[in-house]
């Protein structure tokens, strides 16, 4: 049985957004840190934007989102070559969908 309301789903995504601290990536094998550019929550969807400006050049890999506890909560495990001539956005996009668990026990109220 699904139990989350649209408001409940939206609040979970707002909590995710508010837990973000920064992003990291490897530039030529060296770990770099950047601010989250923006994070938009709309209904049951969130998009988190990481912007790599024109100071970042060459091989870029493993863009990661880090929360306020210092934990990596998402990673885009890919490698690409970024030219100096322009900035680039990496977007982490998620849709929050409640899925019913067919193995969840069905319980009834206890005795009074």
């Amino acid at each position: 049985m699904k139990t989350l309301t649209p408001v409940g789903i939206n609040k979970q995504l707002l909590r995710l957004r508010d837990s973000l601290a920064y992003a990291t990536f490897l530039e030529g094998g060296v770990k770099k840190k950047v601010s989250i550019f923006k994070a938009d929550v709309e209904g049951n969807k969130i998009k988190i934007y990481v912007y790599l400006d024109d100071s970042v050049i060459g091989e870029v890999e493993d863009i990661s989102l880090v929360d306020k506890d210092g934990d990596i909560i998402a990673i885009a495990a890919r490698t690409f070559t970024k030219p100096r001539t322009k900035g680039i956005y990496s977007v982490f996009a998620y849709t929050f969908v409640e899925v019913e668990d067919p193995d969840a026990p069905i319980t009834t109220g206890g005795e009074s």
Side-chain angles (χ1 to χ4, degrees), residues 89-101:
Y89 291 98
S90 180
V91 181
F92 292 77
Y94 303 100
T95 301
F96 190 118
V97 178
E98 182 178 6
V99 178
E100 293 186 50
D101 181 353

Side-chain angles (χ1 to χ4, degrees), residues 17 35 92:
R17 180 199 66 194
S35 298
F92 292 77

